[in-house]
Structures are given as C-alpha cells and as structure tokens.
Amino acid sequence: MTDRAPRLPDLIEVDSARSAAPLVDGFARRISYLRLSVTDRCDLRCRYCMPERMTFLPRREVLTLEELYDLSRAFIARGVTKLRITGGEPLVRRDIIDLFTALGRHLGDGLDELTLTTNATQLADHADALANAGVRRVNVSLDTLDRDRFAALTRRDALPQVLEGIAAAREAGLQVKVNAVALKGVNEDELPDLIAWAHGQGHEVTLIEVMPLGDVEAERMDQYLPLDQVRARLEERWTLADSNHATGGPARYVDVAETGGRLGFIAPHTNNFCAGCNRLRVTATGQLYPCLGGGERVDLRAALRSDAPSQQLERALDTAMLIKPERHHFRMDRRGDQPALPRHMSMTGG
Ligand code: SAM
Ligand code: SF4
C-alpha cells in the first residue's frame, strides 16, 4: 500500500450486524471455523508441501486485503467465531498486519478468536503487531530442531529465524502451539526430543500425518509415517494419558505425564475425524473448499467481484452448506493407483 492509500482498518466501517442465518451443512454440522489463506506464496519450500520450482499464482487472481476482509465479515455475520489466517506463508503477504488489525476489531463482537498458522521465519518482526491486533495464539510449523535437517527439509537455512520468531512470540505474550508433520526417515527419530523441547518451553505440540495434497516431487508413501506407530514408540518412553481436551478440530489429545505437556495427533488416515467437522477453507483466490480432502468448491471471488456481492456471497455460502461432503476421501496409495488431490496444502490453506 502506498502512503496515499488509507490503511485497511480505516477503509471499512465495522459492521456488527449479525442477522444472517447460521451456517449448517447437510449433515447438521454447525460451521463456526474458517481457515482463510491470504497467499499461496512462501519463503520456504517444505518437501512435503511444494516442489522447489513452485508456480505461484498471478497477483491479480489473489484476493485483495479489502476483499479478504469483506469475505471474513460475511462469514462472521453467518456465525463463524474462529478465524485462522494461513497460506502459503501469511506473513510474507505485504501489509498483512492491516488485515489482522481490521479483523481484530470484530473480536468480542461476533468473533471469538483470531489466529494464524505460520512457519515463523518472520514472526520476530510481527509478533508485537499481531498481539496488538488481538491475536492470542499462533500455530508454528516446525518439524525438526536440527539446522541441517531443517535446511534439507525446507530447502532453506532458516531454523535460527524460526526459533527467534517463536521466542519473540512468547515475549509478546502469544501462546505458541508447535505443529510437526511426522515424516518417515526424516524426523521420526527426533520426534520425542522435539516434543520434550516444546513442552519444556510451555508449548503444546500436535503431530500431523502427511496428506496426499499436490505433486511435490517426492513419493508420498515414502514420506508417510502412521501416527499410531509414533504413539506406540512414544509410549515406550513416556506415559500418555488420553485427554478430554477437544477443540472441535481433528486432533485427539494426550497428556504426557513426564513432560507435563499436551500432545495432539492429527491422523486422517488412521482415524477419521469428519463427524464433528465445523470448518471451511478458503483459498487466496477466494475458492471455498468445504473439505480439505474433497474436490467440492464454490467460487467466492466471482461472488465478491459481481454486481451484487452481498447477495451472491450469501448464495455461495448456502451452496457450500449443501455440498460439504460427509467425510474426506484421502487415500495414501502408491502414485498411479490413486492420484493425489491436485491442490497443494499451501493453496488450500493448511
Ligand atoms: N506456511 C505456514 C506454515 O507452514 O505453518 C502455513 C501454511 S502450511 C500449508 C500449514 C500446515 O500444513 C503446516 O503445518 C504444514 O506442515 C502442513 N502441511 C503442508 N503440506 C502438508 C501435507 N502434504 N500433509 C500434511 N501437512 C501438510
Ligand atoms: Fe511454506 Fe508452510 Fe508449505 Fe512449508 S508448509 S512450504 S512453510 S506453506
């Protein structure tokens, strides 16, 4: 944004009217959580997420900050109370803090939580501003604490910045949750140490099974490490007690007696978590995917850029409720048997 342009929070008047009908899908699931991708771009190239030579979208296809804000407001009006900003890497988007600031004004007025998922490479620069905007918790993706391994896995030597980012977030008063993808032969030997480190710093950890999203050069089955195996190995070292903690999301939690910390497992392949699904995802181009693991889609950008954006958006959201599938259909087969979903996680918004 140039100096002449008004900053986003001043552009749009805060509208607290929430008269529209709540979002309830065909399986009576109430939708209260939106994961909104603000860019498909990223400063890392995690091997399970994207290829080295990733083709990014032309900028004109990506929603403007104003469009992202208007869209979020429409979701809040329909009963979305939790908003997670994601990507790509949300913090590489220019002026993204303006969007956080504008959305932060809805906290306590329709919105209960505003949060983000980040790789933390630029978190040190933005932690204070995020806290000032009303963000209280951030999810940081971190799969290894070994600098060489990190560089090999993400194709960038950025572990020191990430650790700095996490420390800055803590100092700014943000609660940090660490997300780690469990990868066969890559970090499987290190997961207990990663968990012990994070719990020692007061961070919750969630382990994630790799999902077959987009072509990434690597063979997915070679990366795939079932979390029931990880759990069994952790139990050789620690006492894990099933926890009642639930977030309405896909994770199942345990408390680790020895570290005193909480550990989550997101295992789409080994247990299906769809029955209580309360979420929707919107890509940076405004495509609403009611399911991460399905091809169903509604074009919200077309609605936003139409002559009657409010009505078209309402209609599009109603359509999304009709087409949200009962469950995902991920399958982790060899390439050729079952093609991966063509969308990368960085596009759909992880
Ligand atoms: N760049 C940010 C980050 O890494 O936190 C936000 C976007 S990233 C796509 C969101 C999450 O998706 C990260 O935790 C990442 O590890 C995870 N992820 C990416 N590709 C994945 C895949 N194929 N399977 C499982 N998780 C994946
Ligand atoms: Fe970037 Fe996040 Fe994908 Fe890694 S997982 S390449 S940090 S979008």
Side-chain angles (χ1 to χ4, degrees):
M1 241 173 246
T2 66
D3 287 339
R4 277 174 292 120
R7 289 170 70 79
L8 190 70
D10 305 323
L11 261 180
I12 304 156
E13 220 176 275
V14 173
D15 172 9
S16 58
R18 290 189 306 282
S19 51
L23 297 170
V24 180
D25 76 0
F27 301 93
R29 292 173 298 196
R30 172 88 154 74
I31 306 302
S32 57
Y33 180 13
L34 173 65
R35 297 169 81 100
L36 178 62
S37 174
V38 295
T39 179
D40 64 325
R41 287 165 198 259
C42 189
D43 52 349
L44 301 183
R45 293 287 183 280
C46 303
R47 288 180 186 275
Y48 52 79
C49 181
M50 55 174 85
E52 167 73 72
R53 291 167 173 273
M54 181 72 175
T55 310
F56 294 113
L57 294 162
R59 284 184 207 277
R60 65 178 181 284
E61 289 193 20
V62 171
L63 297 185
T64 64
L65 291 182
E66 288 78 5
E67 286 172 327
L68 288 164
Y69 177 70
D70 285 347
L71 199 59
S72 304
R73 225 169 40 149
F75 277 101
I76 295 168
R78 298 285 303 261
V80 163
T81 56
K82 179 171 172 182
L83 185 51
R84 176 176 298 281
I85 303 299
T86 180
E89 173 47 43
L91 297 181
V92 303
R93 172 117 193 213
R94 192 140 62 97
D95 296 324
I96 193 63
I97 294 300
D98 292 351
L99 180 66
F100 279 101
T101 305
L103 291 172
R105 290 181 173 187
H106 293 268
L107 286 165
D109 186 19
L111 191 60
D112 294 339
E113 186 173 29
L114 174 62
T115 179
L116 81 153
T117 300
T118 175
N119 63 26
T121 57
Q122 309 202 20
L123 192 52
D125 292 339
H126 297 299
D128 286 334
L130 289 168
N132 289 339
V135 173
R136 294 291 165 260
R137 300 192 301 152
V138 296
N139 283 7
V140 171
S141 305
L142 178 61
D143 307 315
T144 176
L145 287 172
D146 179 283
R147 186 167 177 172
D148 293 335
R149 233 180 228 192
F150 184 98
L153 181 58
T154 67
R155 303 184 177 105
R156 304 288 184 268
D157 179 22
L159 182 64
Q161 289 98 291
V162 170
L163 297 179
E164 235 177 81
I166 293 175
R170 237 188 357 252
E171 265 166 47
L174 300 173
Q175 213 180 306
V176 176
K177 191 177 92 181
V178 172
N179 285 341
V181 179
L183 296 160
K184 186 154 80 183
V186 175
N187 63 358
E188 74 180 287
D189 60 331
E190 196 196 333
L191 289 172
D193 291 342
L194 181 63
I195 295 164
W197 171 82
H199 284 178
Q201 311 254 323
H203 308 316
E204 196 180 294
V205 181
T206 295
L207 302 178
I208 304 170
E209 276 177 359
V210 75
M211 300 174 217
L213 295 168
D215 207 347
V216 290
E217 290 158 6
E219 169 59 69
R220 286 286 180 200
M221 273 306 279
D222 294 342
Q223 300 179 323
Y224 174 50
L225 178 62
L227 287 186
D228 48 3
Q229 280 180 27
V230 176
R231 180 173 174 153
R233 252 176 266 151
L234 291 174
E235 280 177 323
E236 288 168 13
R237 170 166 168 177
W238 288 324
T239 318
L240 308 185
D242 285 328
S243 157
N244 290 330
H245 181 71
T247 59
R252 307 269 164 84
Y253 294 92
V254 298
D255 294 316
V256 183
E258 289 78 2
T259 63
R262 187 183 289 145
L263 176 63
F265 296 90
I266 298 184
H269 310 292
T270 45
N271 61 51
N272 200 330
F273 46 53
C274 303
C277 183
N278 63 351
R279 62 194 56 200
L280 297 175
R281 292 180 154 83
V282 174
T283 69
T285 61
Q287 306 308 305
L288 187 162
Y289 285 95
C291 176
L292 177 66
E296 299 81 2
R297 175 173 71 96
V298 178
D299 187 354
L300 301 185
R301 185 181 61 190
L304 271 170
R305 295 182 181 174
S306 72
D307 290 341
S310 310
Q311 291 94 318
Q312 293 299 329
L313 259 184
E314 293 307 318
R315 199 173 293 170
L317 294 184
D318 290 337
T319 304
M321 291 305 94
L322 294 175
I323 66 172
K324 185 168 164 66
E326 187 173 16
R327 51 156 301 168
H328 74 72
H329 295 284
F330 284 136
R331 274 185 32 204
M332 190 56 81
D333 294 345
R334 285 267 160 202
R335 221 186 247 179
D337 291 358
Q338 171 77 26
L341 280 174
R343 310 187 305 272
H344 290 96
M345 182 77 111
S346 58
M347 192 195 156
T348 317

